[in-house]
Amino acid sequence: QYGRVNMKVVDALKKRDFPLEEGDLILADGRYEVISKLIEKTVSKKQGRTSFTEVVDSVLLHKYLGIPIFFAMMWALFEFTFVASVPFMDAIDIFFGYLNEVAQSSISNEILASLVGDGIIGGVGFLAVFVPVFAFLYMGLSILEDTGYMARAAFLMDKSLTKIGLQGKSFIPMLMGFGCNMPAIMACRTIESEKDRFVTILVNPLMSCGARLPVYVLFAGIFFEEMAGSVIFSIYLLGIVLAIVMAMIFKNTIFRGEPSPFIMELPPYRAPRVTETVIHVWQRVKVYLKKVSGILLVGAIAIWALLNLPYGAEIEFTYAGMIGKAIEPLIKPLGFDWRIGVSLIFGFLAKELVVSGLSVIYAVEEGAGLENIIQTTMTPLTSIAIMVFSLIYTPCLAAVGVIKREMNSWKWALFSIAYLVALAYIVTGIVILIGRLIGYA
């Protein structure tokens, strides 16, 4: 019977009785028709009994309630992540603060003491503070995935994505972007249409990866402590909105074309297993820890060197200071000074280095706690601007390399950098302008 169905599709394709891209849909319809007939002959069901999956899906996949429920779940996840992480973050912060003091007091050489204390322990230790945030966030995402809900989220978003010219398959890589943009961009290979694939790749960096989370947690925790979870959720939501807007622009300009059909089978709901959840969380956290002990360690040392060389110079006349002063006129309209500018440049290598850079800069310059300095030298509006800019501007260097490989062109890789930096500048400027107009500083 499968063979007969397939031959019908082949004959129809030859006659071109329907658009070529609908072949998959007709093939799937034919197969499920055969399956339904086989089930009718071989499976008996008790009448009047509705399965648990059907009952839950009637609510979670509701035409009007489905998407609001999805966003409500995401908001609850971020709120839980921040609240549950705070005690663990404080404990790790105290521990590394103690190590910094011990290093500074134990090493007689002033330069070496600063390198070990402010550069290595201060820079890397400050990033280690965010391990609990990653753990709780990935735990929540893992539970939602294991229950079968994330597959339904893709189904929910298919109709919305189709309206902007994409397809449900684009949602899976975009959702993966919340973890890391690199594997998310590589996951776009499953999208058959080249135009849909390219659009999804270009907007994927707007899905806020886990590396940006330390920036949000730092500033939201300092200025919006009572509603930090909601602020972080709003930043993620802004990324989604911008991805949709840019996808619409791309699909109506340089990537015109109809979206490909999206076919998927929804799994039944299952209770998540503790062991599987723990394994998923550990795998994600392990990747972050390796990153902290490798790339970010080298980055923290490089930041310290740029802030201390030439040795003995005032911080504004160090290599980092000169770079920052050179770009300060460009970012001053956004409320950023040279310190923030330098940290954002470091973030091009790895987004975590934004907070690490600020930590080392202020440690070298002020010799005080980063949170206290930020609270006294910045405003809530500036903190929002930094979070928005960090969300949008160029992906990390590794992600740019993946874009080049997947799109097979440095032209598109450089285009992604250019349009994201421009978009970050425009959106952040709008945020600053609106904030100032309503008297929010």
Side-chain angles (χ1 to χ4, degrees), residues 16 35 100-101 112 114 119 165-166 172 191 206 212 222 271 313 317 323 325 338 410:
R16 295 293 173 89
I35 291 170
N100 194 343
E101 292 178 3
L112 185 59
S114 176
L166 291 177
I172 304 300
I191 303 173
L206 290 168
R212 297 165 185 156
I222 292 174
F317 299 103
I323 295 171
K325 287 295 182 179
W338 70 268
W410 275 113

Side-chain angles (χ1 to χ4, degrees), residues 212-257:
R212 297 165 185 156
L213 192 56
V215 181
Y216 310 151
V217 173
L218 174 65
F219 289 100
I222 292 174
F223 291 101
F224 308 97
E225 186 175 357
E226 296 299 322
M227 51 186 299
S230 298
V231 171
I232 295 172
F233 170 73
S234 68
I235 297 295
Y236 275 76
L237 188 60
L238 174 62
I240 295 172
V241 171
L242 290 174
I244 291 172
V245 171
M246 294 310 302
M248 291 178 65
I249 293 174
F250 288 144
K251 287 295 290 185
N252 287 284
T253 54
I254 54 180
F255 295 109
R256 293 177 181 272

Side-chain angles (χ1 to χ4, degrees), residues 78-258:
F78 287 112
E79 193 70 24
F80 162 76
T81 296
F82 185 82
V83 173
S85 301
V86 169
F88 300 96
M89 293 170 65
D90 290 341
I92 296 173
D93 187 36
I94 293 172
F95 173 71
F96 278 98
Y98 170 75
L99 289 181
N100 194 343
E101 292 178 3
V102 171
Q104 297 270 16
S105 60
S106 302
I107 301 174
S108 57
N109 185 289
E110 184 179 348
I111 301 177
L112 185 59
S114 176
L115 170 62
V116 175
D118 297 329
I120 298 176
I121 297 177
V124 176
F126 193 77
L127 294 172
V129 168
F130 299 101
V131 169
V133 179
F134 284 96
F136 283 110
L137 177 62
Y138 290 133
M139 180 182 72
L141 290 175
S142 176
I143 290 173
L144 291 176
E145 184 178 354
D146 291 345
T147 56
Y149 179 70
M150 282 306 182
R152 285 159 174 84
F155 174 80
L156 281 170
M157 297 303 294
D158 178 52
K159 188 174 182 179
S160 300
L161 290 173
T162 301
K163 289 180 179 179
I164 65 173
L166 291 177
Q167 55 160 296
K169 273 189 179 180
S170 298
F171 178 74
I172 304 300
M174 292 171 73
L175 185 66
M176 290 177 64
F178 287 135
C180 180
N181 294 134
M182 286 176 56
I185 292 169
M186 289 188 286
C188 294
R189 296 174 184 175
T190 60
I191 303 173
E192 292 86 359
S193 168
E194 183 180 85
K195 292 182 178 180
D196 288 352
R197 183 167 67 253
F198 280 11
V199 171
T200 307
I201 290 173
L202 289 174
V203 302
N204 195 280
L206 290 168
M207 311 307 291
S208 188
C209 66
R212 297 165 185 156
L213 192 56
V215 181
Y216 310 151
V217 173
L218 174 65
F219 289 100
I222 292 174
F223 291 101
F224 308 97
E225 186 175 357
E226 296 299 322
M227 51 186 299
S230 298
V231 171
I232 295 172
F233 170 73
S234 68
I235 297 295
Y236 275 76
L237 188 60
L238 174 62
I240 295 172
V241 171
L242 290 174
I244 291 172
V245 171
M246 294 310 302
M248 291 178 65
I249 293 174
F250 288 144
K251 287 295 290 185
N252 287 284
T253 54
I254 54 180
F255 295 109
R256 293 177 181 272
E258 293 296 322

